[in-house]
Amino acid sequence: MDPMEEIKATFFQECDELLADLESGLLEMEAGATDPETVNAVFRAVHSVKGGAGAFGLDTLVRFAHVFETTLDAVRNQTLEADAAVVRVMLRSADRLSDHITAAKAGEDLGEEGDQALIQELQAFLGDVEDDTAGDDMPDFGFKPMLISLGDDPAPLELAPVANGPWEIILRPQAALYRNGNDPAVLLRELAMLGQTTVTLDDSGVPDLNDLDAQGAYLCWTVSMPGTVEEDRIREVFEFADFDCDLTIRRSAGEGANEIVEAPLPVLAVEEAPAVPEPLADAPVEGEAFSLDAILAMARDAAAATELTGDVPAPQADVSDVSQAPAPQGSAVEASPPASAPPRAASEASTGSSATPTQQTIRVDLDRVDRLIDLVGELVINQAMLAQKVLEEGAAPSGSVALGLDDLEQLTREIQDSVMAIRAQPVKSVFQRMPRLVREVAGMTGKSVRLVTEGENTEVDKTVIERLSDPLTHMIRNAIDHGLETPEQRREAGKPEEGTIRLAALHRSGRIVIEISDDGKGIDRTRVKAIAVERGLIDADATLTDEEIDNLIFAPGFSTASTISDISGRGVGMDVVKRSIQALGGRITITSTPGKGSLFTLSLPLTLAVLDGMVVTVGDQTLVVPITVIVETLQPKASDIRGLGPEGTVLAVRGSHVPMVDVGQALKFPSQGNARAGVTLLVESELGGLIALRVDAIQGQRQVVIKSLEQNYRQVSGIAAATILGDGRVALILDVDGLVATRRPAVAPQQPLAQAS
Amino acid sequence: MPAGSDIRALIVDDQQTIRSLVRAGLKDIGIHNIEDAVDGEDALRVLLSARINLIISDFNMPKLDGLGLLRAVRMTPQLKSTGFIMLTGRADTELVQRAQQFGVNNYLVKPFTVATLRAKIEEVYGAIT
């Protein structure tokens, strides 16, 4: 790829993140956040978009971003208050900016006409501030570049040279040390094992024999050791003794070199604003030690001083500030054990504690992660095969080989979980797109809507997230368009004019649950039923429970909108939503209370790469049925199985009849003996109706790694995918809905509601 | 007259795009010893471990901004004579004036061309061969 194109791709990728930051920052401001950090983050997002866009000649975008940025700058400088009206315009500006970027990605230009209204609104907030967009170049203000010669090459910095001087260890045992059975001689001997020691005994504390307490402690040892010995090793020696003694461990080279970090930071001899960096420092360099901490503390101080005051602070005053800056904690070596972390750890700790700790991340090609997941899948299978082989060869289950394999299994599982976690992402990325959608739909329908999101950090596989976007979009549109009433209707119903849409994500028993609820009018069951009759989905005299009526909205081709609006409708109904959720291995349910609102609940697997399955035998084949569809397993009596029509069979389950499918027959396996024997799995099919699947036997339950059949062979109806079992054989994973569909003419399970009449 | 290979540059910007752009520009000029940092703190970490003689830094960054970094560099004897070019948005006169008072060597307005980048570096170091 052309390097410029590559950078451009990076830019667009970065834009997506920046836009997300922008929107979430603005939403925080809408909720009342006024702290400089939030405002600055919002400003920086727009500024960065603008900065990058300029490099690629996206002029329209830059001009718009500039106006936006100028207004944000006014908020940042507190010359403009970010009240509700301002933030609203900014949110719309963020949407517009996003549109510009989307267009730019496609190589298009939205043009400036669409920007004018917003630009005017943004500028209106600023009052009479002059527009400086015109000046392309910096006005001449007498800046003179400063020459530097490369001969002044800075000497390389030694990081923390403090760590080199010889050690001085002062050990003054307390009486408790002797009482607890410790012996200083042992400690000294252990020290001697770490390196050359010189021990001096200070017995000046020993009293006259008459005053001597036989159990008292009067001695003090001073040990010198080479500085090359690691501090941790020395501390280890005293691990069990240091509560019972006064222990000092320090570097003793020169004049207390260990205190160098605590010494005043290098002070600049700055008289005036410096013209050249050269005359800055006459600070003693010899033997001077620098720690990142010290410099950071100084830098932060300087940053704070320059940021908070609008004017350039007088360097003199600042320098004195800096020299008084407290030495960072933890860098002094002479300290009690808990504070004795090595310099590097200390500096990291201090970084971590700064105002907004950002997690370190790396960008990795998704292909690489997927390859890793594939390999781990293979590893899991291989491990299972190995375990089975070992058992078959007759190794003792408690023997070392079998136990080793158990450990291996544990490790493989952990690797698998960790690798899956790499693909896991917070649902935030999808949730973040919804506020804009809500704003737009609310605008189009003239409704007043508030979106509440919860559990944005709930994690789920990236593929699941990507494929959640469309169904969620559609459901939220529906909720606003059909669920919520107009402000007038709401007022009449005694509700607040502003409707609430709640979008929540949570983990529940190994799955992710997403709830979309509204406080609207709920499902109008009379109308739903009337439409279903009109569409021929149910008989006019059918008796349906409320739940069954609610579920009618998932029926193919069902749409309750009396006019096909721009927003929802257009033939894409809840059936499509339901199907896409099911394609992800998920389920969708609805509960609705008239006058109070509706709640849609989606339940989805956390990953699409593995599946919890019931391993069953059908004929001479081993099949896997996804656990999630199984409601119940039972061993029916022959008398419970009845024929229905020429080919159909039904199973009587607690008084009601459930269509029955013989899996072997449906998949055209060679017929095996008695069709009425075996086990029956009660499964839930597409429309929520129950189906009984007859199999020969159940082998057990296990997690299987899904291998696409389509990629490796071709699509087979009734089969969702394949997996490899512990013994190395391939097993097919059943697609229950597909299987039922192939048998539809015989069992006709598609419209159980219609049958109910 | 320094050669491009004499210059060891550190690019400091929280934006990957800008870092990549500056890096590409520097390579065009013949400067290939290039380190990256995402903010001022990160930059100091790099400065303490690598021999850098030219810093090209953005101004507005989280944690420690460009001005803070500049001051830290100028206050640290071993780093004080490192060349420092500040990246700025257009027409940010006030910022450049402040940076000047803290001893910045030059400034570079975004967006920039390779020719401008080269000119700004040469104004500090003399013509690059």
Side-chain angles (χ1 to χ4, degrees):
Chain A
M1 210 198 284
D2 171 18
M4 243 355 223
E5 283 302 307
E6 213 169 297
I7 299 176
K8 205 168 174 178
T10 311
F11 169 65
F12 285 133
Q13 209 178 359
E14 212 161 39
C15 273
D16 291 342
E17 289 164 22
L18 291 167
L19 286 172
D21 290 350
L22 172 61
E23 173 145 8
S24 62
L26 283 172
L27 289 175
E28 275 173 45
M29 282 167 70
E30 191 181 33
T34 52
D35 56 298
E37 237 168 84
T38 309
V39 178
N40 200 27
V42 168
F43 174 84
R44 199 161 46 229
V46 177
H47 180 78
S48 296
V49 168
K50 186 186 103 172
F56 303 106
L58 305 171
D59 295 337
T60 325
L61 205 171
V62 170
R63 267 191 291 274
F64 180 71
H66 181 81
V67 178
F68 193 0
E69 183 191 16
T70 311
T71 311
L72 276 166
D73 199 28
V75 174
R76 202 168 58 137
N77 296 335
Q78 298 177 344
T79 51
L80 172 66
E81 194 199 337
D83 57 17
V86 171
V87 175
R88 251 199 311 277
V89 173
M90 286 185 170
L91 275 166
R92 277 169 44 222
S93 303
D95 293 346
R96 180 70 185 169
L97 195 62
S98 162
D99 289 343
H100 271 298
I101 291 167
T102 312
K105 260 185 220 174
E108 289 158 11
D109 190 335
L110 286 184
E112 293 190 337
E113 295 76 45
D115 294 342
Q116 288 316 316
L118 270 173
I119 286 183
Q120 274 167 17
E121 282 183 72
L122 284 169
Q123 284 176 338
F125 293 129
L126 296 177
D128 293 333
V129 178
E130 60 184 287
D131 179 22
D132 55 7
T133 36
D136 237 34
D137 226 329
M138 189 103 47
D140 181 21
F141 55 91
F143 183 89
K144 292 263 187 316
M146 275 192 297
L147 262 169
I148 275 191
S149 131
L150 275 177
D152 305 343
D153 206 7
L157 258 193
E158 297 276 324
L159 239 194
V162 246
N164 292 330
W167 290 107
E168 186 180 61
I169 302 151
I170 303 169
L171 170 66
R172 189 187 293 275
Q174 295 160 359
L177 181 120
Y178 300 102
R179 268 206 305 280
N180 291 336
N182 267 313
D183 184 349
V186 174
L187 299 173
L188 294 174
R189 208 154 46 224
E190 278 184 42
L191 278 182
M193 286 162 70
L194 297 177
Q196 178 93 44
T197 55
T198 315
V199 184
T200 345
L201 171 67
D202 175 7
D203 57 2
S204 59
V206 181
D208 284 348
L209 198 56
N210 289 337
D211 301 332
L212 190 129
D213 175 356
Q215 295 191 345
Y218 304 103
L219 297 174
C220 174
W221 287 269
T222 305
V223 185
S224 302
M225 290 190 78
T228 48
V229 179
E230 286 171 38
E231 189 183 348
D232 286 355
R233 307 279 310 268
I234 299 177
R235 296 228 173 254
E236 241 167 55
V237 170
F238 297 101
E239 201 177 354
F240 299 107
D242 65 359
F243 296 111
D244 298 334
C245 62
D246 298 325
L247 181 67
T248 308
I249 299 175
R250 66 175 176 216
R251 301 278 187 186
S252 66
E255 301 190 324
N258 56 311
E259 273 139 34
I260 217 148
V261 188
E262 286 174 295
L265 291 164
V267 175
L268 301 189
V270 185
E271 303 295 339
E272 315 276 349
V276 228
E278 256 56 35
L280 284 187
D282 297 323
V285 175
E286 219 175 313
E288 192 74 74
F290 286 92
S291 78
L292 182 58
D293 275 343
I295 297 176
L296 277 180
M298 172 175 73
R300 260 194 223 105
D301 220 49
T306 51
E307 241 167 23
L308 293 180
T309 63
D311 306 321
V312 180
Q316 191 63 55
D318 231 47
V319 167
S320 66
D321 271 352
V322 168
S323 61
Q324 283 159 18
Q329 242 193 336
S331 34
V333 180
E334 185 177 350
S336 52
S340 67
R344 180 159 290 272
S347 80
E348 263 155 25
S350 81
T351 316
S353 65
S354 67
T356 44
T358 44
Q359 272 185 321
Q360 291 265 332
T361 56
I362 51 165
R363 282 172 204 272
V364 181
D365 231 18
L366 201 56
D367 286 347
R368 290 198 203 175
V369 177
D370 287 348
R371 169 94 186 117
L372 190 60
I373 288 181
D374 258 16
L375 283 175
V376 172
E378 301 286 343
L379 185 65
V380 170
I381 291 164
N382 235 292
Q383 180 273 327
M385 281 165 64
L386 197 59
Q388 192 155 340
K389 284 242 168 64
V390 166
L391 280 182
E392 279 167 10
E393 312 254 305
S398 57
S400 61
V401 174
L403 288 179
L405 275 170
D406 280 351
D407 289 345
L408 182 64
E409 182 178 351
Q410 190 79 25
L411 281 174
T412 342
R413 280 281 140 87
E414 273 174 38
I415 294 178
Q416 197 176 16
D417 287 349
S418 309
V419 172
M420 294 301 176
I422 298 180
R423 276 191 63 103
Q425 286 190 328
V427 289
K428 205 185 211 159
S429 56
V430 184
F431 279 21
Q432 263 171 349
R433 287 181 227 163
M434 300 306 154
R436 174 173 188 184
L437 175 83
V438 170
R439 280 197 296 281
E440 283 175 354
V441 179
M444 278 189 236
T445 52
K447 291 174 184 174
S448 170
V449 188
R450 191 164 64 99
L451 177 70
V452 181
T453 53
E454 286 165 30
E456 289 183 321
N457 292 320
T458 314
E459 290 195 337
V460 66
D461 189 276
K462 189 174 158 55
T463 320
V464 177
I465 289 189
E466 279 161 5
R467 287 159 70 181
L468 259 181
S469 178
D470 283 351
L472 281 189
T473 304
H474 196 80
M475 288 169 76
I476 287 187
R477 276 183 181 159
N478 264 338
I480 300 172
D481 198 18
H482 303 313
L484 292 182
E485 313 90 330
T486 60
E488 299 79 56
Q489 288 168 336
R490 289 182 68 89
R491 210 170 33 236
E492 280 163 27
K495 294 183 184 176
E497 282 186 22
E498 191 179 52
T500 304
I501 303 279
R502 188 174 146 274
L503 182 59
L506 56 142
H507 279 148
R508 192 182 289 157
S509 54
R511 290 170 78 83
I512 181 172
V513 174
I514 294 180
E515 296 176 346
I516 299 126
S517 58
D518 62 71
D519 63 349
K521 54 182 181 276
I523 285 182
D524 183 346
R525 297 200 174 107
T526 330
R527 244 185 89 219
V528 166
K529 207 175 153 190
I531 290 168
V533 173
E534 190 189 310
R535 303 268 151 99
L537 296 175
I538 52 168
D539 288 347
D541 54 353
T543 321
L544 301 181
T545 62
D546 286 351
E547 207 186 324
E548 282 168 328
I549 297 175
D550 291 348
N551 274 298
L552 280 172
I553 65 164
F554 294 118
F558 187 93
S559 172
T560 55
S562 20
T563 53
I564 290 183
S565 63
D566 260 351
I567 301 135
S568 37
R570 287 211 190 283
V572 185
M574 289 304 290
D575 60 320
V576 177
V577 171
K578 181 164 187 174
R579 217 168 294 265
S580 48
I581 296 299
Q582 280 178 332
L584 287 171
R587 273 182 299 220
I588 180 168
T589 52
I590 176 180
T591 39
S592 181
T593 318
K596 292 270 170 63
S598 311
L599 163 71
F600 289 89
T601 309
L602 309 182
S603 150
L604 294 154
L606 292 178
T607 167
L608 301 179
V610 291
L611 170 130
D612 277 312
M614 182 83 89
V615 183
V616 300
T617 312
V618 178
D620 56 356
Q621 294 284 322
T622 302
L623 296 176
V624 179
V625 185
I627 287 278
T628 48
V629 301
I630 300 177
V631 179
E632 189 180 345
T633 60
L634 37 96
Q635 205 148 14
K637 289 189 285 234
S639 60
D640 288 339
I641 301 170
R642 290 168 205 159
L644 181 76
E647 279 179 60
T649 322
V650 290
L651 174 70
V653 184
R654 289 183 287 273
S656 64
H657 288 93
V658 177
M660 189 163 174
V661 177
D662 186 301
V663 176
Q665 269 178 28
L667 294 175
K668 303 189 180 66
F669 289 166
S671 150
Q672 301 270 321
N674 188 357
R676 306 216 152 189
V679 188
T680 298
L681 309 176
L682 226 48
V683 297
E684 206 174 30
S685 84
E686 212 172 334
L687 276 171
L690 290 179
I691 305 286
L693 295 185
R694 201 205 68 81
V695 299
D696 290 337
I698 290 176
Q699 293 181 13
Q701 192 179 325
R702 88 161 50 134
Q703 200 173 56
V704 296
V705 179
I706 301 173
K707 299 264 161 196
S708 166
L709 198 60
E710 223 169 325
Q711 272 171 29
N712 297 309
Y713 176 53
R714 63 180 171 81
Q715 207 184 347
V716 180
S717 68
I719 301 298
T723 189
I724 302 172
L725 294 174
D727 57 7
R729 282 188 304 144
V730 171
L732 299 175
I733 301 171
L734 225 51
D735 168 13
V736 171
D737 290 333
L739 189 73
V740 169
T742 59
R743 298 280 296 164
R744 189 160 285 157
V747 292
Q750 199 203 359
Q751 307 300 346
L753 300 175
Q755 286 176 349
S757 57
Chain B
M1 263 206 265
S5 59
D6 292 339
I7 296 178
R8 290 175 300 275
L10 169 65
I11 306 168
V12 193
D13 198 311
D14 54 332
Q15 230 185 322
Q16 167 89 49
T17 310
I18 304 293
R19 290 201 304 271
S20 306
L21 284 167
V22 177
R23 180 179 281 265
L26 289 176
K27 284 189 174 165
D28 269 9
I29 299 169
I31 299 172
H32 293 277
N33 287 319
I34 307 169
E35 299 279 345
D36 266 12
V38 298
D39 57 47
E41 283 190 18
D42 197 21
L44 283 172
R45 230 165 272 136
V46 177
L47 285 168
L48 290 179
S49 57
R51 291 164 60 97
I52 299 292
N53 48 25
L54 173 64
I55 301 167
I56 299 180
S57 171
D58 187 26
F59 167 64
N60 195 343
M61 295 178 290
K63 286 192 185 171
L64 178 63
D65 67 14
L67 227 41
L69 174 63
L70 172 62
R71 302 206 60 195
V73 166
R74 291 294 181 244
M75 284 172 172
T76 308
Q78 280 90 334
L79 303 176
K80 70 180 167 60
S81 49
T82 314
F84 200 115
I85 296 179
M86 186 78 82
L87 283 168
T88 98
R90 65 179 71 174
D92 215 339
T93 319
E94 192 201 324
L95 163 66
V96 177
Q97 278 171 337
R98 277 159 73 184
Q100 190 177 16
Q101 274 178 294
F102 293 132
V104 82
N105 293 89
N106 214 341
Y107 67 89
L108 176 61
V109 180
K110 292 184 282 189
F112 53 86
T113 59
V114 175
T116 320
L117 177 65
R118 183 186 193 105
K120 293 286 182 180
I121 297 173
E122 290 185 340
E123 280 173 6
V124 175
Y125 280 111
I128 296 168
T129 49

